[in-house]
Amino acid sequence: MIRIITDSLSDMTMEYAKANNFDIMALTVSFGSTDYKCGVDLSNEEFYNLLETSEDKPNTAAVNPYEFEQIFQKYIDAGDEIVAILFSKYMSATFQSANIAAENVNSDKLHLIDCENGAMGQALLVQTAVDMRDAGASATEIADAITALIPRVQTYFVVDNMDYLQHGGRISKTVDQVDNQARIHPVLQLLPDGVKPLDKVKGRKSANAWLVNRAKEKAPDSNYKFVIGHSNAVERAETLKAQLREAGIQNEILITCIAPIVGTHIGPYSLGIGYVEEA
């Protein structure tokens, strides 16, 4: 059997993973002295409620090597092959933990992939791997195909409230205050080595329009799914989906709620897209 493993930075829920027969390794988010396993002890929606109401700012922690080694060894001992598609090593220690575990397990049945991405981009790679497995592809074929797709993955966020970027040290407090008052929203692109500020838009309607226009300019490959991510903004995500359809985007669209680790930095009511660009 081929086992697909990812981490909770992919934004997919544990329920979805169970229904589609893949595993999610949960990162940890803490409010004060209380630790939560993302998606296990705390849903994405519950996280955003805490983010807005808790007096404590959240802290995050990667999956540790022991947890990876346990699941890798369990599946290898059962005679399974593993394709693990994990968040970029430049933005989380989770991939490093998996790499340590892989060295300890030391099996050619384990294919470890740094997806050089996260959130919506990571979700679409995981979904592609699941679809390929279900269609009968081998572990090597899946790993090779995912690795080849990585440079074509486009992932963008439009941040609703700059306070969370300021708390994380991504921008200055002065810029934060001025742009928030003017309802200016930064557009960020997720790249292999981190997040890059790309543009700014004024107002939520302009935010949606920017994402639609980018999908038209850098057209998605219709052979792959298109992912919309939102941070507790379901209605905005559904509106964006309708706008993408009006713009001629025919890909199957998945809508996910952005998980706590990324949500800690971009805050609630943000919106993003992830897709494979046409070759």
PDB file of all heavy atoms in Angstrom, residues 212 215-216 219-220 222 226 241-251 253 278:
ATOM      1  N   VAL A 212      -8.316  37.109  -8.818  1.00  0.00           N
ATOM      2  CA  VAL A 212      -8.915  36.653 -10.072  1.00  0.00           C
ATOM      3  C   VAL A 212      -8.028  37.046 -11.253  1.00  0.00           C
ATOM      4  O   VAL A 212      -7.760  36.231 -12.149  1.00  0.00           O
ATOM      5  CB  VAL A 212     -10.338  37.238 -10.246  1.00  0.00           C
ATOM      6  CG1 VAL A 212     -10.872  36.936 -11.645  1.00  0.00           C
ATOM      7  CG2 VAL A 212     -11.279  36.673  -9.194  1.00  0.00           C
ATOM      8  N   ALA A 215      -4.968  34.869 -11.539  1.00  0.00           N
ATOM      9  CA  ALA A 215      -5.288  33.549 -12.095  1.00  0.00           C
ATOM     10  C   ALA A 215      -5.529  33.620 -13.608  1.00  0.00           C
ATOM     11  O   ALA A 215      -5.284  32.651 -14.333  1.00  0.00           O
ATOM     12  CB  ALA A 215      -6.512  32.960 -11.403  1.00  0.00           C
ATOM     13  N   LYS A 216      -5.990  34.758 -14.104  1.00  0.00           N
ATOM     14  CA  LYS A 216      -6.172  34.936 -15.542  1.00  0.00           C
ATOM     15  C   LYS A 216      -4.831  35.196 -16.236  1.00  0.00           C
ATOM     16  O   LYS A 216      -4.581  34.705 -17.332  1.00  0.00           O
ATOM     17  CB  LYS A 216      -7.136  36.093 -15.815  1.00  0.00           C
ATOM     18  CG  LYS A 216      -8.573  35.788 -15.419  1.00  0.00           C
ATOM     19  CD  LYS A 216      -9.430  37.033 -15.394  1.00  0.00           C
ATOM     20  CE  LYS A 216      -9.597  37.655 -16.763  1.00  0.00           C
ATOM     21  NZ  LYS A 216     -10.472  38.852 -16.721  1.00  0.00           N
ATOM     22  N   ALA A 219      -2.282  31.573 -16.026  1.00  0.00           N
ATOM     23  CA  ALA A 219      -3.418  30.654 -16.086  1.00  0.00           C
ATOM     24  C   ALA A 219      -3.124  29.309 -15.436  1.00  0.00           C
ATOM     25  O   ALA A 219      -2.020  28.764 -15.570  1.00  0.00           O
ATOM     26  CB  ALA A 219      -3.825  30.435 -17.537  1.00  0.00           C
ATOM     27  N   PRO A 220      -4.104  28.765 -14.718  1.00  0.00           N
ATOM     28  CA  PRO A 220      -3.934  27.449 -14.100  1.00  0.00           C
ATOM     29  C   PRO A 220      -4.050  26.318 -15.109  1.00  0.00           C
ATOM     30  O   PRO A 220      -4.820  26.406 -16.071  1.00  0.00           O
ATOM     31  CB  PRO A 220      -5.071  27.390 -13.080  1.00  0.00           C
ATOM     32  CG  PRO A 220      -6.125  28.287 -13.633  1.00  0.00           C
ATOM     33  CD  PRO A 220      -5.399  29.386 -14.358  1.00  0.00           C
ATOM     34  N   SER A 222      -5.553  23.129 -16.244  1.00  0.00           N
ATOM     35  CA  SER A 222      -6.874  22.552 -15.952  1.00  0.00           C
ATOM     36  C   SER A 222      -6.818  21.080 -15.548  1.00  0.00           C
ATOM     37  O   SER A 222      -7.828  20.516 -15.123  1.00  0.00           O
ATOM     38  CB  SER A 222      -7.797  22.723 -17.161  1.00  0.00           C
ATOM     39  OG  SER A 222      -7.258  22.055 -18.287  1.00  0.00           O
ATOM     40  N   PHE A 226      -7.675  23.509  -8.165  1.00  0.00           N
ATOM     41  CA  PHE A 226      -7.401  24.901  -7.803  1.00  0.00           C
ATOM     42  C   PHE A 226      -7.883  25.055  -6.363  1.00  0.00           C
ATOM     43  O   PHE A 226      -8.998  24.657  -6.042  1.00  0.00           O
ATOM     44  CB  PHE A 226      -8.182  25.820  -8.744  1.00  0.00           C
ATOM     45  CG  PHE A 226      -7.849  27.288  -8.653  1.00  0.00           C
ATOM     46  CD1 PHE A 226      -7.173  27.919  -9.679  1.00  0.00           C
ATOM     47  CD2 PHE A 226      -8.236  28.041  -7.556  1.00  0.00           C
ATOM     48  CE1 PHE A 226      -6.881  29.276  -9.620  1.00  0.00           C
ATOM     49  CE2 PHE A 226      -7.949  29.392  -7.479  1.00  0.00           C
ATOM     50  CZ  PHE A 226      -7.272  30.016  -8.521  1.00  0.00           C
ATOM     51  N   LYS A 241     -14.843  32.048  -5.439  1.00  0.00           N
ATOM     52  CA  LYS A 241     -15.066  30.888  -6.315  1.00  0.00           C
ATOM     53  C   LYS A 241     -15.992  31.262  -7.467  1.00  0.00           C
ATOM     54  O   LYS A 241     -15.716  30.939  -8.640  1.00  0.00           O
ATOM     55  CB  LYS A 241     -15.659  29.731  -5.504  1.00  0.00           C
ATOM     56  CG  LYS A 241     -15.929  28.483  -6.336  1.00  0.00           C
ATOM     57  CD  LYS A 241     -16.480  27.346  -5.472  1.00  0.00           C
ATOM     58  CE  LYS A 241     -16.772  26.116  -6.326  1.00  0.00           C
ATOM     59  NZ  LYS A 241     -17.279  24.992  -5.494  1.00  0.00           N
ATOM     60  N   ALA A 242     -17.073  31.965  -7.160  1.00  0.00           N
ATOM     61  CA  ALA A 242     -18.012  32.385  -8.198  1.00  0.00           C
ATOM     62  C   ALA A 242     -17.340  33.340  -9.183  1.00  0.00           C
ATOM     63  O   ALA A 242     -17.571  33.261 -10.397  1.00  0.00           O
ATOM     64  CB  ALA A 242     -19.238  33.039  -7.569  1.00  0.00           C
ATOM     65  N   GLN A 243     -16.502  34.237  -8.672  1.00  0.00           N
ATOM     66  CA  GLN A 243     -15.805  35.184  -9.539  1.00  0.00           C
ATOM     67  C   GLN A 243     -14.801  34.482 -10.450  1.00  0.00           C
ATOM     68  O   GLN A 243     -14.628  34.864 -11.619  1.00  0.00           O
ATOM     69  CB  GLN A 243     -15.100  36.242  -8.683  1.00  0.00           C
ATOM     70  CG  GLN A 243     -16.066  37.169  -7.958  1.00  0.00           C
ATOM     71  CD  GLN A 243     -15.385  38.028  -6.903  1.00  0.00           C
ATOM     72  OE1 GLN A 243     -14.348  37.642  -6.347  1.00  0.00           O
ATOM     73  NE2 GLN A 243     -15.959  39.187  -6.627  1.00  0.00           N
ATOM     74  N   LEU A 244     -14.145  33.454  -9.938  1.00  0.00           N
ATOM     75  CA  LEU A 244     -13.214  32.680 -10.759  1.00  0.00           C
ATOM     76  C   LEU A 244     -13.963  31.955 -11.880  1.00  0.00           C
ATOM     77  O   LEU A 244     -13.480  31.882 -13.016  1.00  0.00           O
ATOM     78  CB  LEU A 244     -12.456  31.675  -9.887  1.00  0.00           C
ATOM     79  CG  LEU A 244     -11.391  32.277  -8.963  1.00  0.00           C
ATOM     80  CD1 LEU A 244     -10.983  31.269  -7.891  1.00  0.00           C
ATOM     81  CD2 LEU A 244     -10.158  32.719  -9.762  1.00  0.00           C
ATOM     82  N   ARG A 245     -15.128  31.420 -11.556  1.00  0.00           N
ATOM     83  CA  ARG A 245     -15.941  30.764 -12.576  1.00  0.00           C
ATOM     84  C   ARG A 245     -16.356  31.774 -13.661  1.00  0.00           C
ATOM     85  O   ARG A 245     -16.299  31.484 -14.860  1.00  0.00           O
ATOM     86  CB  ARG A 245     -17.180  30.134 -11.951  1.00  0.00           C
ATOM     87  CG  ARG A 245     -16.879  28.918 -11.081  1.00  0.00           C
ATOM     88  CD  ARG A 245     -16.516  27.726 -11.953  1.00  0.00           C
ATOM     89  NE  ARG A 245     -16.320  26.516 -11.161  1.00  0.00           N
ATOM     90  CZ  ARG A 245     -15.186  25.831 -11.111  1.00  0.00           C
ATOM     91  NH1 ARG A 245     -14.134  26.248 -11.804  1.00  0.00           N
ATOM     92  NH2 ARG A 245     -15.075  24.747 -10.383  1.00  0.00           N
ATOM     93  N   GLU A 246     -16.758  32.972 -13.244  1.00  0.00           N
ATOM     94  CA  GLU A 246     -17.149  34.009 -14.193  1.00  0.00           C
ATOM     95  C   GLU A 246     -15.975  34.403 -15.087  1.00  0.00           C
ATOM     96  O   GLU A 246     -16.166  34.786 -16.248  1.00  0.00           O
ATOM     97  CB  GLU A 246     -17.662  35.239 -13.446  1.00  0.00           C
ATOM     98  CG  GLU A 246     -19.007  35.045 -12.768  1.00  0.00           C
ATOM     99  CD  GLU A 246     -19.391  36.219 -11.891  1.00  0.00           C
ATOM    100  OE1 GLU A 246     -18.649  37.232 -11.904  1.00  0.00           O
ATOM    101  OE2 GLU A 246     -20.425  36.134 -11.197  1.00  0.00           O
ATOM    102  N   ALA A 247     -14.754  34.296 -14.536  1.00  0.00           N
ATOM    103  CA  ALA A 247     -13.553  34.657 -15.295  1.00  0.00           C
ATOM    104  C   ALA A 247     -13.080  33.530 -16.202  1.00  0.00           C
ATOM    105  O   ALA A 247     -12.077  33.678 -16.902  1.00  0.00           O
ATOM    106  CB  ALA A 247     -12.438  35.052 -14.328  1.00  0.00           C
ATOM    107  N   GLY A 248     -13.779  32.398 -16.177  1.00  0.00           N
ATOM    108  CA  GLY A 248     -13.447  31.301 -17.083  1.00  0.00           C
ATOM    109  C   GLY A 248     -12.546  30.226 -16.499  1.00  0.00           C
ATOM    110  O   GLY A 248     -12.089  29.340 -17.230  1.00  0.00           O
ATOM    111  N   ILE A 249     -12.288  30.257 -15.180  1.00  0.00           N
ATOM    112  CA  ILE A 249     -11.474  29.222 -14.543  1.00  0.00           C
ATOM    113  C   ILE A 249     -12.333  27.971 -14.377  1.00  0.00           C
ATOM    114  O   ILE A 249     -13.325  27.987 -13.643  1.00  0.00           O
ATOM    115  CB  ILE A 249     -10.929  29.691 -13.178  1.00  0.00           C
ATOM    116  CG1 ILE A 249     -10.154  31.005 -13.317  1.00  0.00           C
ATOM    117  CG2 ILE A 249     -10.068  28.599 -12.545  1.00  0.00           C
ATOM    118  CD1 ILE A 249      -8.972  30.952 -14.258  1.00  0.00           C
ATOM    119  N   GLN A 250     -11.960  26.885 -15.058  1.00  0.00           N
ATOM    120  CA  GLN A 250     -12.791  25.676 -15.081  1.00  0.00           C
ATOM    121  C   GLN A 250     -12.274  24.555 -14.188  1.00  0.00           C
ATOM    122  O   GLN A 250     -12.903  23.500 -14.081  1.00  0.00           O
ATOM    123  CB  GLN A 250     -12.901  25.157 -16.518  1.00  0.00           C
ATOM    124  CG  GLN A 250     -13.581  26.136 -17.467  1.00  0.00           C
ATOM    125  CD  GLN A 250     -15.002  26.477 -17.025  1.00  0.00           C
ATOM    126  OE1 GLN A 250     -15.780  25.594 -16.645  1.00  0.00           O
ATOM    127  NE2 GLN A 250     -15.339  27.758 -17.049  1.00  0.00           N
ATOM    128  N   ASN A 251     -11.127  24.755 -13.537  1.00  0.00           N
ATOM    129  CA  ASN A 251     -10.564  23.713 -12.661  1.00  0.00           C
ATOM    130  C   ASN A 251     -11.555  23.331 -11.567  1.00  0.00           C
ATOM    131  O   ASN A 251     -12.370  24.156 -11.127  1.00  0.00           O
ATOM    132  CB  ASN A 251      -9.287  24.209 -11.982  1.00  0.00           C
ATOM    133  CG  ASN A 251      -8.250  24.695 -12.955  1.00  0.00           C
ATOM    134  OD1 ASN A 251      -8.480  25.620 -13.716  1.00  0.00           O
ATOM    135  ND2 ASN A 251      -7.076  24.084 -12.923  1.00  0.00           N
ATOM    136  N   ILE A 253     -12.443  23.194  -7.954  1.00  0.00           N
ATOM    137  CA  ILE A 253     -11.984  24.106  -6.900  1.00  0.00           C
ATOM    138  C   ILE A 253     -12.241  23.504  -5.525  1.00  0.00           C
ATOM    139  O   ILE A 253     -13.368  23.097  -5.214  1.00  0.00           O
ATOM    140  CB  ILE A 253     -12.675  25.475  -7.021  1.00  0.00           C
ATOM    141  CG1 ILE A 253     -12.264  26.162  -8.332  1.00  0.00           C
ATOM    142  CG2 ILE A 253     -12.326  26.360  -5.833  1.00  0.00           C
ATOM    143  CD1 ILE A 253     -12.944  27.499  -8.587  1.00  0.00           C
ATOM    144  N   GLU A 278      -0.037  26.744 -15.935  1.00  0.00           N
ATOM    145  CA  GLU A 278       0.135  26.058 -17.205  1.00  0.00           C
ATOM    146  C   GLU A 278       1.602  26.023 -17.604  1.00  0.00           C
ATOM    147  O   GLU A 278       2.323  27.003 -17.438  1.00  0.00           O
ATOM    148  CB  GLU A 278      -0.667  26.766 -18.318  1.00  0.00           C
ATOM    149  CG  GLU A 278      -2.129  26.418 -18.360  1.00  0.00           C
ATOM    150  CD  GLU A 278      -2.828  27.015 -19.564  1.00  0.00           C
ATOM    151  OE1 GLU A 278      -2.277  27.950 -20.175  1.00  0.00           O
ATOM    152  OE2 GLU A 278      -3.935  26.557 -19.887  1.00  0.00           O
TER     153      GLU A 278
END
